[in-house]
Amino acid sequence: QRKHSTSGHNMSRENTFKKRLIETMGKRWHVQSHEDMYSTGIPDLSYGAGGVNGWIELKYITLPSATGVLKPSKFTPAQINWLNNRHAHGGKCWVMVGVEKSGVYLFEAIFAASIAEGQSESWYQSTSVASWVNRPINPVELLHYLTR
C-alpha cells in the first residue's frame, strides 16, 4: 500500500514523473524518495543542494477537465497541512505539477490548497515560480529555484 490511493494509472504516471525528475537532476542534489504510509502528508521527495534542504510534493495531471481546469486527482488536506506547517517553520517546500502534453510547473508550497482546488492553465503560468512548457526540465534552472 502506498500513501496515495489514486488510480493505478495516475500513480504510475506520477512515479514515472518522479523517476524522470531524479534522473534529470542527477548528482546536482542529494534526493530521497518518501513512500511512507505511516507518516501522513509527507511530500514525495526531500532534497539537499547548495546548502539548502527542501521538500517537493509531486502531482501529475493526465488531462484538464472539460472546463479546462487543472486539478490533481488526489491532493489530501494532510499533504497541504504538512507543506504549510513546514513552510511556516522555514522549510523550503514546493509543489511540482506535471501536466500531460503541456509541461511542468513549480510552485511555492503556499499555493498547495489552490492547486488542490483546481485552476486554469493561465493561472498555472502566472503563479508558478518556474515552468517548462513544451520543453524538458532544465536541471540548472530548477536547481536555481530550489536553492534560492
Side-chain angles (χ1 to χ4, degrees):
Q1 176 159 347
R2 298 194 183 278
K3 69 173 184 159
H4 302 295
S5 60
T6 56
S7 69
H9 176 71
N10 226 33
M11 271 311 296
S12 63
R13 295 285 179 103
E14 194 172 288
N15 285 331
T16 300
F17 180 42
K18 181 194 299 187
K19 286 177 185 153
R20 283 194 186 135
L21 174 62
I22 291 169
E23 288 168 10
T24 297
M25 294 303 288
K27 296 191 183 298
R28 292 174 181 87
W29 65 355
H30 176 261
V31 66
Q32 175 68 49
S33 178
H34 300 275
E35 294 294 339
D36 186 342
M37 62 184 181
Y38 303 107
S39 300
T40 312
I42 298 266
D44 297 298
L45 299 173
S46 62
Y47 68 90
V52 170
N53 283 291
W55 296 84
I56 304 171
E57 178 62 39
L58 298 172
K59 296 295 173 196
Y60 192 85
I61 299 171
T62 49
L63 290 172
S65 70
T67 58
V69 172
L70 299 174
K71 184 174 180 173
S73 59
K74 181 98 172 168
F75 205 158
T76 68
Q79 291 171 317
I80 295 164
N81 289 337
W82 195 101
L83 289 164
N84 287 332
N85 287 331
R86 183 57 58 100
H87 174 77
H89 291 278
K92 295 285 185 185
C93 297
W94 306 93
V95 179
M96 182 177 268
V97 183
V99 180
E100 186 177 50
K101 297 180 181 157
S102 174
V104 175
Y105 298 87
L106 180 68
F107 296 92
E108 293 176 72
I110 57 171
F111 295 107
S114 297
I115 293 164
E117 290 168 10
Q119 301 294 332
S120 67
E121 193 150 2
S122 63
W123 181 90
Y124 268 58
Q125 291 165 358
S126 64
T127 309
S128 60
V129 172
S131 62
W132 296 270
V133 177
N134 299 319
R135 65 185 178 112
I137 293 173
N138 178 317
V140 174
E141 230 179 292
L142 177 55
L143 196 64
H144 164 78
Y145 291 104
L146 296 180
T147 59
R148 67 180 194 173

